[in-house]
PDB file of all heavy atoms in Angstrom:
ATOM      1  N   THR A1063       4.912  -3.452   0.967  1.00 98.00           N
ATOM      2  CA  THR A1063       4.701  -2.239   0.121  1.00 98.00           C
ATOM      3  C   THR A1063       5.782  -2.101  -0.880  1.00 98.00           C
ATOM      4  O   THR A1063       5.728  -2.696  -1.978  1.00 98.00           O
ATOM      5  CB  THR A1063       4.589  -1.008   1.028  1.00 98.00           C
ATOM      6  OG1 THR A1063       5.780  -0.893   1.847  1.00 98.00           O
ATOM      7  CG2 THR A1063       3.363  -1.094   1.936  1.00 98.00           C
ATOM      8  N   VAL A1064       6.835  -1.342  -0.640  1.00 98.00           N
ATOM      9  CA  VAL A1064       7.849  -0.999  -1.637  1.00 98.00           C
ATOM     10  C   VAL A1064       8.638  -2.170  -2.173  1.00 98.00           C
ATOM     11  O   VAL A1064       9.138  -2.090  -3.270  1.00 98.00           O
ATOM     12  CB  VAL A1064       8.804   0.119  -1.092  1.00 98.00           C
ATOM     13  CG1 VAL A1064       8.052   1.385  -0.859  1.00 98.00           C
ATOM     14  CG2 VAL A1064       9.497  -0.388   0.236  1.00 98.00           C
ATOM     15  N   ARG A1065       8.758  -3.230  -1.403  1.00 98.00           N
ATOM     16  CA  ARG A1065       9.466  -4.413  -1.892  1.00 98.00           C
ATOM     17  C   ARG A1065       8.534  -5.451  -2.537  1.00 98.00           C
ATOM     18  O   ARG A1065       9.000  -6.516  -2.974  1.00 98.00           O
ATOM     19  CB  ARG A1065      10.205  -5.075  -0.684  1.00 98.00           C
ATOM     20  CG  ARG A1065      11.323  -4.284  -0.116  1.00 98.00           C
ATOM     21  CD  ARG A1065      11.897  -5.006   1.113  1.00 98.00           C
ATOM     22  NE  ARG A1065      12.994  -4.343   1.766  1.00 98.00           N
ATOM     23  CZ  ARG A1065      13.430  -4.611   2.994  1.00 98.00           C
ATOM     24  NH1 ARG A1065      12.841  -5.555   3.696  1.00 98.00           N
ATOM     25  NH2 ARG A1065      14.420  -3.916   3.528  1.00 98.00           N
ATOM     26  N   SER A1066       7.297  -5.099  -2.512  1.00 98.00           N
ATOM     27  CA  SER A1066       6.311  -6.093  -3.049  1.00 98.00           C
ATOM     28  C   SER A1066       5.937  -5.897  -4.518  1.00 98.00           C
ATOM     29  O   SER A1066       5.932  -4.736  -4.949  1.00 98.00           O
ATOM     30  CB  SER A1066       4.991  -6.024  -2.169  1.00 98.00           C
ATOM     31  OG  SER A1066       3.929  -6.672  -2.794  1.00 98.00           O
ATOM     32  N   PRO A1067       5.557  -6.929  -5.252  1.00 97.00           N
ATOM     33  CA  PRO A1067       5.056  -6.754  -6.604  1.00 97.00           C
ATOM     34  C   PRO A1067       3.803  -5.845  -6.615  1.00 97.00           C
ATOM     35  O   PRO A1067       3.484  -5.265  -7.644  1.00 97.00           O
ATOM     36  CB  PRO A1067       4.687  -8.141  -7.036  1.00 97.00           C
ATOM     37  CG  PRO A1067       5.523  -9.069  -6.193  1.00 97.00           C
ATOM     38  CD  PRO A1067       5.692  -8.357  -4.876  1.00 97.00           C
ATOM     39  N   LEU A1068       3.110  -5.716  -5.450  1.00 97.00           N
ATOM     40  CA  LEU A1068       1.975  -4.841  -5.411  1.00 97.00           C
ATOM     41  C   LEU A1068       2.358  -3.372  -5.648  1.00 97.00           C
ATOM     42  O   LEU A1068       1.535  -2.617  -6.075  1.00 97.00           O
ATOM     43  CB  LEU A1068       1.321  -4.925  -4.020  1.00 97.00           C
ATOM     44  CG  LEU A1068       0.635  -6.252  -3.611  1.00 97.00           C
ATOM     45  CD1 LEU A1068       0.241  -6.233  -2.156  1.00 97.00           C
ATOM     46  CD2 LEU A1068      -0.573  -6.476  -4.537  1.00 97.00           C
ATOM     47  N   TRP A1069       3.642  -3.054  -5.415  1.00 98.00           N
ATOM     48  CA  TRP A1069       4.068  -1.646  -5.661  1.00 98.00           C
ATOM     49  C   TRP A1069       3.933  -1.261  -7.150  1.00 98.00           C
ATOM     50  O   TRP A1069       3.632  -0.139  -7.498  1.00 98.00           O
ATOM     51  CB  TRP A1069       5.495  -1.466  -5.204  1.00 98.00           C
ATOM     52  CG  TRP A1069       5.819  -0.032  -4.965  1.00 98.00           C
ATOM     53  CD1 TRP A1069       6.537   0.804  -5.813  1.00 98.00           C
ATOM     54  CD2 TRP A1069       5.413   0.830  -3.883  1.00 98.00           C
ATOM     55  NE1 TRP A1069       6.647   2.093  -5.266  1.00 98.00           N
ATOM     56  CE2 TRP A1069       5.948   2.125  -4.107  1.00 98.00           C
ATOM     57  CE3 TRP A1069       4.644   0.598  -2.728  1.00 98.00           C
ATOM     58  CZ2 TRP A1069       5.694   3.178  -3.198  1.00 98.00           C
ATOM     59  CZ3 TRP A1069       4.428   1.665  -1.874  1.00 98.00           C
ATOM     60  CH2 TRP A1069       4.959   2.922  -2.132  1.00 98.00           C
ATOM     61  N   ASN A1070       4.184  -2.257  -8.071  1.00 98.00           N
ATOM     62  CA  ASN A1070       3.960  -2.032  -9.462  1.00 98.00           C
ATOM     63  C   ASN A1070       2.519  -1.598  -9.734  1.00 98.00           C
ATOM     64  O   ASN A1070       2.246  -0.749 -10.576  1.00 98.00           O
ATOM     65  CB  ASN A1070       4.366  -3.206 -10.283  1.00 98.00           C
ATOM     66  CG  ASN A1070       5.854  -3.390 -10.379  1.00 98.00           C
ATOM     67  OD1 ASN A1070       6.641  -2.420 -10.221  1.00 98.00           O
ATOM     68  ND2 ASN A1070       6.309  -4.624 -10.570  1.00 98.00           N
ATOM     69  N   GLU A1071       1.562  -2.341  -9.100  1.00 98.00           N
ATOM     70  CA  GLU A1071       0.200  -1.981  -9.300  1.00 98.00           C
ATOM     71  C   GLU A1071      -0.218  -0.667  -8.674  1.00 98.00           C
ATOM     72  O   GLU A1071      -1.105   0.021  -9.166  1.00 98.00           O
ATOM     73  CB  GLU A1071      -0.697  -3.128  -8.718  1.00 98.00           C
ATOM     74  CG  GLU A1071      -0.463  -4.469  -9.352  1.00 98.00           C
ATOM     75  CD  GLU A1071      -0.433  -4.368 -10.911  1.00 98.00           C
ATOM     76  OE1 GLU A1071      -1.388  -3.780 -11.489  1.00 98.00           O
ATOM     77  OE2 GLU A1071       0.573  -4.825 -11.525  1.00 98.00           O
ATOM     78  N   PHE A1072       0.490  -0.273  -7.630  1.00 98.00           N
ATOM     79  CA  PHE A1072       0.356   1.028  -7.021  1.00 98.00           C
ATOM     80  C   PHE A1072       0.747   2.123  -8.079  1.00 98.00           C
ATOM     81  O   PHE A1072       0.058   3.111  -8.304  1.00 98.00           O
ATOM     82  CB  PHE A1072       1.195   1.130  -5.776  1.00 98.00           C
ATOM     83  CG  PHE A1072       1.087   2.475  -5.007  1.00 98.00           C
ATOM     84  CD1 PHE A1072      -0.102   2.968  -4.700  1.00 98.00           C
ATOM     85  CD2 PHE A1072       2.288   3.083  -4.642  1.00 98.00           C
ATOM     86  CE1 PHE A1072      -0.248   4.167  -3.968  1.00 98.00           C
ATOM     87  CE2 PHE A1072       2.198   4.274  -3.914  1.00 98.00           C
ATOM     88  CZ  PHE A1072       0.947   4.839  -3.578  1.00 98.00           C
ATOM     89  N   ASP A1073       1.917   1.884  -8.729  1.00 98.00           N
ATOM     90  CA  ASP A1073       2.351   2.800  -9.762  1.00 98.00           C
ATOM     91  C   ASP A1073       1.414   2.830 -10.978  1.00 98.00           C
ATOM     92  O   ASP A1073       1.185   3.886 -11.576  1.00 98.00           O
ATOM     93  CB  ASP A1073       3.755   2.409 -10.240  1.00 98.00           C
ATOM     94  CG  ASP A1073       4.875   2.896  -9.325  1.00 98.00           C
ATOM     95  OD1 ASP A1073       4.604   3.774  -8.484  1.00 98.00           O
ATOM     96  OD2 ASP A1073       5.952   2.359  -9.385  1.00 98.00           O
ATOM     97  N   ARG A1074       0.816   1.670 -11.247  1.00 98.00           N
ATOM     98  CA  ARG A1074      -0.111   1.599 -12.369  1.00 98.00           C
ATOM     99  C   ARG A1074      -1.424   2.340 -12.019  1.00 98.00           C
ATOM    100  O   ARG A1074      -2.027   2.987 -12.859  1.00 98.00           O
ATOM    101  CB  ARG A1074      -0.426   0.125 -12.683  1.00 98.00           C
ATOM    102  CG  ARG A1074      -1.052  -0.091 -14.051  1.00 98.00           C
ATOM    103  CD  ARG A1074      -1.456  -1.555 -14.165  1.00 98.00           C
ATOM    104  NE  ARG A1074      -0.286  -2.490 -14.054  1.00 98.00           N
ATOM    105  CZ  ARG A1074       0.456  -2.801 -15.030  1.00 98.00           C
ATOM    106  NH1 ARG A1074       0.298  -2.329 -16.238  1.00 98.00           N
ATOM    107  NH2 ARG A1074       1.484  -3.643 -14.806  1.00 98.00           N
ATOM    108  N   SER A1075      -1.847   2.187 -10.775  1.00 98.00           N
ATOM    109  CA  SER A1075      -2.976   2.938 -10.232  1.00 98.00           C
ATOM    110  C   SER A1075      -4.302   2.737 -11.040  1.00 98.00           C
ATOM    111  O   SER A1075      -5.111   3.642 -11.180  1.00 98.00           O
ATOM    112  CB  SER A1075      -2.709   4.441 -10.113  1.00 98.00           C
ATOM    113  OG  SER A1075      -1.687   4.687  -9.129  1.00 98.00           O
ATOM    114  N   VAL A1076      -4.500   1.557 -11.577  1.00 98.00           N
ATOM    115  CA  VAL A1076      -5.729   1.221 -12.273  1.00 98.00           C
ATOM    116  C   VAL A1076      -6.847   1.000 -11.195  1.00 98.00           C
ATOM    117  O   VAL A1076      -7.975   1.460 -11.399  1.00 98.00           O
ATOM    118  CB  VAL A1076      -5.611  -0.020 -13.131  1.00 98.00           C
ATOM    119  CG1 VAL A1076      -6.940  -0.481 -13.656  1.00 98.00           C
ATOM    120  CG2 VAL A1076      -4.637   0.249 -14.317  1.00 98.00           C
ATOM    121  N   GLN A1077      -6.476   0.388 -10.095  1.00 97.00           N
ATOM    122  CA  GLN A1077      -7.428   0.147  -8.990  1.00 97.00           C
ATOM    123  C   GLN A1077      -7.656   1.470  -8.199  1.00 97.00           C
ATOM    124  O   GLN A1077      -6.737   2.286  -8.153  1.00 97.00           O
ATOM    125  CB  GLN A1077      -6.913  -0.954  -8.086  1.00 97.00           C
ATOM    126  CG  GLN A1077      -6.670  -2.258  -8.701  1.00 97.00           C
ATOM    127  CD  GLN A1077      -6.052  -3.218  -7.739  1.00 97.00           C
ATOM    128  OE1 GLN A1077      -6.547  -3.461  -6.668  1.00 97.00           O
ATOM    129  NE2 GLN A1077      -4.930  -3.897  -8.103  1.00 97.00           N
ATOM    130  N   PRO A1078      -8.780   1.564  -7.503  1.00 98.00           N
ATOM    131  CA  PRO A1078      -8.951   2.709  -6.597  1.00 98.00           C
ATOM    132  C   PRO A1078      -7.944   2.708  -5.501  1.00 98.00           C
ATOM    133  O   PRO A1078      -7.446   1.619  -5.110  1.00 98.00           O
ATOM    134  CB  PRO A1078     -10.414   2.476  -6.054  1.00 98.00           C
ATOM    135  CG  PRO A1078     -11.043   1.512  -7.010  1.00 98.00           C
ATOM    136  CD  PRO A1078      -9.932   0.670  -7.533  1.00 98.00           C
ATOM    137  N   ASP A1079      -7.698   3.886  -4.944  1.00 97.00           N
ATOM    138  CA  ASP A1079      -6.693   3.926  -3.857  1.00 97.00           C
ATOM    139  C   ASP A1079      -7.047   3.037  -2.661  1.00 97.00           C
ATOM    140  O   ASP A1079      -6.171   2.460  -2.017  1.00 97.00           O
ATOM    141  CB  ASP A1079      -6.543   5.365  -3.390  1.00 97.00           C
ATOM    142  CG  ASP A1079      -5.688   6.181  -4.343  1.00 97.00           C
ATOM    143  OD1 ASP A1079      -5.224   5.659  -5.344  1.00 97.00           O
ATOM    144  OD2 ASP A1079      -5.538   7.436  -4.126  1.00 97.00           O
ATOM    145  N   GLU A1080      -8.398   2.962  -2.386  1.00 98.00           N
ATOM    146  CA  GLU A1080      -8.797   2.148  -1.258  1.00 98.00           C
ATOM    147  C   GLU A1080      -8.441   0.703  -1.440  1.00 98.00           C
ATOM    148  O   GLU A1080      -8.011   0.027  -0.492  1.00 98.00           O
ATOM    149  CB  GLU A1080     -10.361   2.274  -1.069  1.00 98.00           C
ATOM    150  CG  GLU A1080     -10.820   3.682  -0.708  1.00 98.00           C
ATOM    151  CD  GLU A1080     -10.877   4.617  -1.899  1.00 98.00           C
ATOM    152  OE1 GLU A1080     -10.708   4.182  -3.053  1.00 98.00           O
ATOM    153  OE2 GLU A1080     -11.055   5.839  -1.652  1.00 98.00           O
ATOM    154  N   ALA A1081      -8.591   0.176  -2.664  1.00 98.00           N
ATOM    155  CA  ALA A1081      -8.244  -1.166  -2.961  1.00 98.00           C
ATOM    156  C   ALA A1081      -6.728  -1.395  -2.856  1.00 98.00           C
ATOM    157  O   ALA A1081      -6.266  -2.487  -2.402  1.00 98.00           O
ATOM    158  CB  ALA A1081      -8.754  -1.583  -4.361  1.00 98.00           C
ATOM    159  N   LEU A1082      -5.899  -0.469  -3.324  1.00 98.00           N
ATOM    160  CA  LEU A1082      -4.499  -0.527  -3.307  1.00 98.00           C
ATOM    161  C   LEU A1082      -4.007  -0.613  -1.821  1.00 98.00           C
ATOM    162  O   LEU A1082      -3.179  -1.447  -1.444  1.00 98.00           O
ATOM    163  CB  LEU A1082      -3.885   0.630  -4.046  1.00 98.00           C
ATOM    164  CG  LEU A1082      -4.082   0.599  -5.556  1.00 98.00           C
ATOM    165  CD1 LEU A1082      -3.759   1.933  -6.113  1.00 98.00           C
ATOM    166  CD2 LEU A1082      -3.211  -0.483  -6.207  1.00 98.00           C
ATOM    167  N   LEU A1083      -4.578   0.286  -0.967  1.00 98.00           N
ATOM    168  CA  LEU A1083      -4.205   0.280   0.431  1.00 98.00           C
ATOM    169  C   LEU A1083      -4.622  -1.028   1.058  1.00 98.00           C
ATOM    170  O   LEU A1083      -3.838  -1.618   1.835  1.00 98.00           O
ATOM    171  CB  LEU A1083      -4.885   1.414   1.149  1.00 98.00           C
ATOM    172  CG  LEU A1083      -4.785   1.452   2.652  1.00 98.00           C
ATOM    173  CD1 LEU A1083      -3.332   1.501   3.114  1.00 98.00           C
ATOM    174  CD2 LEU A1083      -5.546   2.688   3.251  1.00 98.00           C
ATOM    175  N   ALA A1084      -5.800  -1.539   0.730  1.00 98.00           N
ATOM    176  CA  ALA A1084      -6.269  -2.813   1.341  1.00 98.00           C
ATOM    177  C   ALA A1084      -5.323  -3.939   0.911  1.00 98.00           C
ATOM    178  O   ALA A1084      -5.069  -4.901   1.717  1.00 98.00           O
ATOM    179  CB  ALA A1084      -7.717  -3.103   0.859  1.00 98.00           C
ATOM    180  N   GLY A1085      -4.793  -3.904  -0.319  1.00 98.00           N
ATOM    181  CA  GLY A1085      -3.896  -4.926  -0.793  1.00 98.00           C
ATOM    182  C   GLY A1085      -2.565  -4.939   0.010  1.00 98.00           C
ATOM    183  O   GLY A1085      -2.062  -5.975   0.421  1.00 98.00           O
ATOM    184  N   PHE A1086      -2.058  -3.719   0.257  1.00 98.00           N
ATOM    185  CA  PHE A1086      -0.866  -3.626   1.098  1.00 98.00           C
ATOM    186  C   PHE A1086      -1.082  -4.085   2.514  1.00 98.00           C
ATOM    187  O   PHE A1086      -0.261  -4.826   3.052  1.00 98.00           O
ATOM    188  CB  PHE A1086      -0.395  -2.136   1.133  1.00 98.00           C
ATOM    189  CG  PHE A1086       0.166  -1.574  -0.161  1.00 98.00           C
ATOM    190  CD1 PHE A1086      -0.097  -0.265  -0.487  1.00 98.00           C
ATOM    191  CD2 PHE A1086       0.960  -2.366  -0.939  1.00 98.00           C
ATOM    192  CE1 PHE A1086       0.422   0.262  -1.666  1.00 98.00           C
ATOM    193  CE2 PHE A1086       1.516  -1.855  -2.137  1.00 98.00           C
ATOM    194  CZ  PHE A1086       1.221  -0.568  -2.521  1.00 98.00           C
ATOM    195  N   GLN A1087      -2.224  -3.755   3.075  1.00 98.00           N
ATOM    196  CA  GLN A1087      -2.548  -4.190   4.415  1.00 98.00           C
ATOM    197  C   GLN A1087      -2.732  -5.684   4.484  1.00 98.00           C
ATOM    198  O   GLN A1087      -2.275  -6.349   5.494  1.00 98.00           O
ATOM    199  CB  GLN A1087      -3.757  -3.478   4.932  1.00 98.00           C
ATOM    200  CG  GLN A1087      -3.496  -1.947   5.208  1.00 98.00           C
ATOM    201  CD  GLN A1087      -4.731  -1.260   5.646  1.00 98.00           C
ATOM    202  OE1 GLN A1087      -5.812  -1.437   5.100  1.00 98.00           O
ATOM    203  NE2 GLN A1087      -4.584  -0.345   6.637  1.00 98.00           N
ATOM    204  N   ALA A1088      -3.362  -6.309   3.505  1.00 98.00           N
ATOM    205  CA  ALA A1088      -3.551  -7.761   3.487  1.00 98.00           C
ATOM    206  C   ALA A1088      -2.198  -8.481   3.425  1.00 98.00           C
ATOM    207  O   ALA A1088      -2.123  -9.613   3.829  1.00 98.00           O
ATOM    208  CB  ALA A1088      -4.433  -8.167   2.268  1.00 98.00           C
ATOM    209  N   ALA A1089      -1.171  -7.783   2.815  1.00 98.00           N
ATOM    210  CA  ALA A1089       0.178  -8.439   2.724  1.00 98.00           C
ATOM    211  C   ALA A1089       0.970  -8.305   3.998  1.00 98.00           C
ATOM    212  O   ALA A1089       2.067  -8.849   4.068  1.00 98.00           O
ATOM    213  CB  ALA A1089       0.895  -7.828   1.533  1.00 98.00           C
ATOM    214  N   ALA A1090       0.385  -7.611   4.967  1.00 98.00           N
ATOM    215  CA  ALA A1090       1.120  -7.422   6.217  1.00 98.00           C
ATOM    216  C   ALA A1090       0.170  -7.663   7.450  1.00 98.00           C
ATOM    217  O   ALA A1090      -0.140  -6.790   8.194  1.00 98.00           O
ATOM    218  CB  ALA A1090       1.681  -6.005   6.327  1.00 98.00           C
ATOM    219  N   PRO A1091      -0.264  -8.925   7.611  1.00 98.00           N
ATOM    220  CA  PRO A1091      -1.160  -9.195   8.705  1.00 98.00           C
ATOM    221  C   PRO A1091      -0.582  -8.828  10.036  1.00 98.00           C
ATOM    222  O   PRO A1091       0.596  -9.195  10.343  1.00 98.00           O
ATOM    223  CB  PRO A1091      -1.406 -10.777   8.590  1.00 98.00           C
ATOM    224  CG  PRO A1091      -0.712 -11.226   7.376  1.00 98.00           C
ATOM    225  CD  PRO A1091       0.114 -10.076   6.827  1.00 98.00           C
ATOM    226  N   GLY A1092      -1.399  -8.145  10.823  1.00 98.00           N
ATOM    227  CA  GLY A1092      -0.913  -7.702  12.117  1.00 98.00           C
ATOM    228  C   GLY A1092      -0.230  -6.361  12.133  1.00 98.00           C
ATOM    229  O   GLY A1092       0.028  -5.740  13.157  1.00 98.00           O
ATOM    230  N   TYR A1093       0.023  -5.826  10.890  1.00 98.00           N
ATOM    231  CA  TYR A1093       0.696  -4.517  10.739  1.00 98.00           C
ATOM    232  C   TYR A1093      -0.141  -3.549   9.891  1.00 98.00           C
ATOM    233  O   TYR A1093       0.364  -2.637   9.322  1.00 98.00           O
ATOM    234  CB  TYR A1093       2.054  -4.654  10.131  1.00 98.00           C
ATOM    235  CG  TYR A1093       3.018  -5.483  10.934  1.00 98.00           C
ATOM    236  CD1 TYR A1093       3.194  -6.838  10.646  1.00 98.00           C
ATOM    237  CD2 TYR A1093       3.726  -4.896  11.970  1.00 98.00           C
ATOM    238  CE1 TYR A1093       4.066  -7.650  11.454  1.00 98.00           C
ATOM    239  CE2 TYR A1093       4.600  -5.671  12.790  1.00 98.00           C
ATOM    240  CZ  TYR A1093       4.767  -7.050  12.489  1.00 98.00           C
ATOM    241  OH  TYR A1093       5.617  -7.835  13.265  1.00 98.00           O
ATOM    242  N   GLU A1094      -1.472  -3.779   9.921  1.00 98.00           N
ATOM    243  CA  GLU A1094      -2.333  -2.927   9.099  1.00 98.00           C
ATOM    244  C   GLU A1094      -2.247  -1.471   9.533  1.00 98.00           C
ATOM    245  O   GLU A1094      -2.256  -0.600   8.641  1.00 98.00           O
ATOM    246  CB  GLU A1094      -3.812  -3.411   9.245  1.00 98.00           C
ATOM    247  CG  GLU A1094      -4.064  -4.735   8.628  1.00 98.00           C
ATOM    248  CD  GLU A1094      -3.813  -5.954   9.601  1.00 98.00           C
ATOM    249  OE1 GLU A1094      -3.268  -5.715  10.686  1.00 98.00           O
ATOM    250  OE2 GLU A1094      -4.123  -7.086   9.232  1.00 98.00           O
ATOM    251  N   ALA A1095      -2.143  -1.190  10.805  1.00 98.00           N
ATOM    252  CA  ALA A1095      -2.094   0.178  11.277  1.00 98.00           C
ATOM    253  C   ALA A1095      -0.823   0.876  10.818  1.00 98.00           C
ATOM    254  O   ALA A1095      -0.795   2.022  10.446  1.00 98.00           O
ATOM    255  CB  ALA A1095      -2.209   0.262  12.750  1.00 98.00           C
ATOM    256  N   GLN A1096       0.302   0.052  10.824  1.00 98.00           N
ATOM    257  CA  GLN A1096       1.569   0.637  10.395  1.00 98.00           C
ATOM    258  C   GLN A1096       1.561   0.897   8.884  1.00 98.00           C
ATOM    259  O   GLN A1096       2.165   1.925   8.411  1.00 98.00           O
ATOM    260  CB  GLN A1096       2.696  -0.285  10.774  1.00 98.00           C
ATOM    261  CG  GLN A1096       2.940  -0.333  12.262  1.00 98.00           C
ATOM    262  CD  GLN A1096       2.110  -1.342  13.018  1.00 98.00           C
ATOM    263  OE1 GLN A1096       1.106  -1.866  12.468  1.00 98.00           O
ATOM    264  NE2 GLN A1096       2.429  -1.547  14.271  1.00 98.00           N
ATOM    265  N   VAL A1097       0.915   0.054   8.121  1.00 98.00           N
ATOM    266  CA  VAL A1097       0.822   0.292   6.692  1.00 98.00           C
ATOM    267  C   VAL A1097       0.001   1.530   6.402  1.00 98.00           C
ATOM    268  O   VAL A1097       0.340   2.339   5.556  1.00 98.00           O
ATOM    269  CB  VAL A1097       0.215  -0.971   5.962  1.00 98.00           C
ATOM    270  CG1 VAL A1097      -0.109  -0.611   4.490  1.00 98.00           C
ATOM    271  CG2 VAL A1097       1.132  -2.119   6.038  1.00 98.00           C
ATOM    272  N   GLN A1098      -1.055   1.726   7.189  1.00 98.00           N
ATOM    273  CA  GLN A1098      -1.869   2.940   7.063  1.00 98.00           C
ATOM    274  C   GLN A1098      -1.018   4.162   7.351  1.00 98.00           C
ATOM    275  O   GLN A1098      -1.116   5.207   6.694  1.00 98.00           O
ATOM    276  CB  GLN A1098      -2.998   2.879   8.069  1.00 98.00           C
ATOM    277  CG  GLN A1098      -3.876   4.129   8.073  1.00 98.00           C
ATOM    278  CD  GLN A1098      -4.830   4.251   6.914  1.00 98.00           C
ATOM    279  OE1 GLN A1098      -5.499   3.244   6.571  1.00 98.00           O
ATOM    280  NE2 GLN A1098      -4.920   5.410   6.291  1.00 98.00           N
ATOM    281  N   MET A1099      -0.128   4.127   8.358  1.00 98.00           N
ATOM    282  CA  MET A1099       0.733   5.226   8.686  1.00 98.00           C
ATOM    283  C   MET A1099       1.635   5.541   7.501  1.00 98.00           C
ATOM    284  O   MET A1099       1.847   6.707   7.138  1.00 98.00           O
ATOM    285  CB  MET A1099       1.536   4.936   9.909  1.00 98.00           C
ATOM    286  CG  MET A1099       0.737   4.871  11.205  1.00 98.00           C
ATOM    287  SD  MET A1099       1.687   4.341  12.678  1.00 98.00           S
ATOM    288  CE  MET A1099       2.820   5.736  12.824  1.00 98.00           C
ATOM    289  N   LEU A1100       2.234   4.513   6.903  1.00 98.00           N
ATOM    290  CA  LEU A1100       3.060   4.771   5.734  1.00 98.00           C
ATOM    291  C   LEU A1100       2.259   5.396   4.603  1.00 98.00           C
ATOM    292  O   LEU A1100       2.687   6.353   3.963  1.00 98.00           O
ATOM    293  CB  LEU A1100       3.687   3.441   5.244  1.00 98.00           C
ATOM    294  CG  LEU A1100       4.535   3.576   3.915  1.00 98.00           C
ATOM    295  CD1 LEU A1100       5.689   4.518   4.073  1.00 98.00           C
ATOM    296  CD2 LEU A1100       4.976   2.234   3.443  1.00 98.00           C
ATOM    297  N   TRP A1101       1.051   4.950   4.386  1.00 98.00           N
ATOM    298  CA  TRP A1101       0.180   5.438   3.325  1.00 98.00           C
ATOM    299  C   TRP A1101      -0.026   6.946   3.528  1.00 98.00           C
ATOM    300  O   TRP A1101      -0.090   7.691   2.568  1.00 98.00           O
ATOM    301  CB  TRP A1101      -1.161   4.679   3.399  1.00 98.00           C
ATOM    302  CG  TRP A1101      -2.182   5.068   2.399  1.00 98.00           C
ATOM    303  CD1 TRP A1101      -3.245   5.930   2.600  1.00 98.00           C
ATOM    304  CD2 TRP A1101      -2.308   4.607   1.069  1.00 98.00           C
ATOM    305  NE1 TRP A1101      -3.979   6.025   1.443  1.00 98.00           N
ATOM    306  CE2 TRP A1101      -3.435   5.197   0.499  1.00 98.00           C
ATOM    307  CE3 TRP A1101      -1.535   3.719   0.308  1.00 98.00           C
ATOM    308  CZ2 TRP A1101      -3.856   4.937  -0.823  1.00 98.00           C
ATOM    309  CZ3 TRP A1101      -1.951   3.437  -1.015  1.00 98.00           C
ATOM    310  CH2 TRP A1101      -3.086   4.120  -1.533  1.00 98.00           C
ATOM    311  N   GLU A1102      -0.097   7.367   4.786  1.00 97.00           N
ATOM    312  CA  GLU A1102      -0.361   8.769   5.068  1.00 97.00           C
ATOM    313  C   GLU A1102       0.944   9.568   4.962  1.00 97.00           C
ATOM    314  O   GLU A1102       0.898  10.871   5.042  1.00 97.00           O
ATOM    315  CB  GLU A1102      -0.953   8.882   6.453  1.00 97.00           C
ATOM    316  CG  GLU A1102      -2.385   8.301   6.548  1.00 97.00           C
ATOM    317  CD  GLU A1102      -2.912   8.180   7.971  1.00 97.00           C
ATOM    318  OE1 GLU A1102      -2.174   8.568   8.894  1.00 97.00           O
ATOM    319  OE2 GLU A1102      -4.049   7.670   8.093  1.00 97.00           O
ATOM    320  N   HIS A1103       2.106   8.918   4.856  1.00 97.00           N
ATOM    321  CA  HIS A1103       3.354   9.686   4.869  1.00 97.00           C
ATOM    322  C   HIS A1103       4.157   9.371   3.540  1.00 97.00           C
ATOM    323  O   HIS A1103       5.360   9.486   3.505  1.00 97.00           O
ATOM    324  CB  HIS A1103       4.211   9.326   6.034  1.00 97.00           C
ATOM    325  CG  HIS A1103       3.656   9.876   7.322  1.00 97.00           C
ATOM    326  ND1 HIS A1103       2.734   9.214   8.078  1.00 97.00           N
ATOM    327  CD2 HIS A1103       3.914  11.007   7.994  1.00 97.00           C
ATOM    328  CE1 HIS A1103       2.456   9.939   9.109  1.00 97.00           C
ATOM    329  NE2 HIS A1103       3.164  11.073   9.120  1.00 97.00           N
ATOM    330  N   ILE A1104       3.450   8.995   2.469  1.00 97.00           N
ATOM    331  CA  ILE A1104       4.120   8.591   1.264  1.00 97.00           C
ATOM    332  C   ILE A1104       4.934   9.757   0.693  1.00 97.00           C
ATOM    333  O   ILE A1104       5.989   9.606   0.074  1.00 97.00           O
ATOM    334  CB  ILE A1104       3.116   8.071   0.228  1.00 97.00           C
ATOM    335  CG1 ILE A1104       2.769   6.612   0.571  1.00 97.00           C
ATOM    336  CG2 ILE A1104       3.605   8.231  -1.204  1.00 97.00           C
ATOM    337  CD1 ILE A1104       1.782   5.949  -0.265  1.00 97.00           C
ATOM    338  N   SER A1105       4.470  10.986   0.864  1.00 98.00           N
ATOM    339  CA  SER A1105       5.187  12.124   0.333  1.00 98.00           C
ATOM    340  C   SER A1105       6.605  12.264   0.869  1.00 98.00           C
ATOM    341  O   SER A1105       7.473  12.832   0.242  1.00 98.00           O
ATOM    342  CB  SER A1105       4.408  13.474   0.652  1.00 98.00           C
ATOM    343  OG  SER A1105       4.260  13.676   2.009  1.00 98.00           O
TER     344      SER A1105
END
């Protein structure tokens, strides 16, 4: 997430949020649930 180049695309937000979340989860195989938890606590 935050250390990944994908974070720039998150800031750009051209893609739908669902696609951005899926991209983060795909970059962390086996940790999809944990990435979801971060997504819910971004604030």
Side-chain angles (χ1 to χ4, degrees):
T1063 57
V1064 293
R1065 291 176 180 163
S1066 165
L1068 292 172
W1069 198 258
N1070 286 334
E1071 298 313 308
F1072 182 50
D1073 281 342
R1074 197 186 301 275
S1075 293
V1076 171
Q1077 302 175 52
D1079 284 357
E1080 296 77 10
L1082 292 164
L1083 172 58
F1086 290 141
Q1087 290 177 317
Y1093 297 97
E1094 292 86 353
Q1096 289 85 351
V1097 171
Q1098 177 75 45
M1099 289 174 68
L1100 175 61
W1101 181 261
E1102 293 169 0
H1103 290 85
I1104 278 175
S1105 61

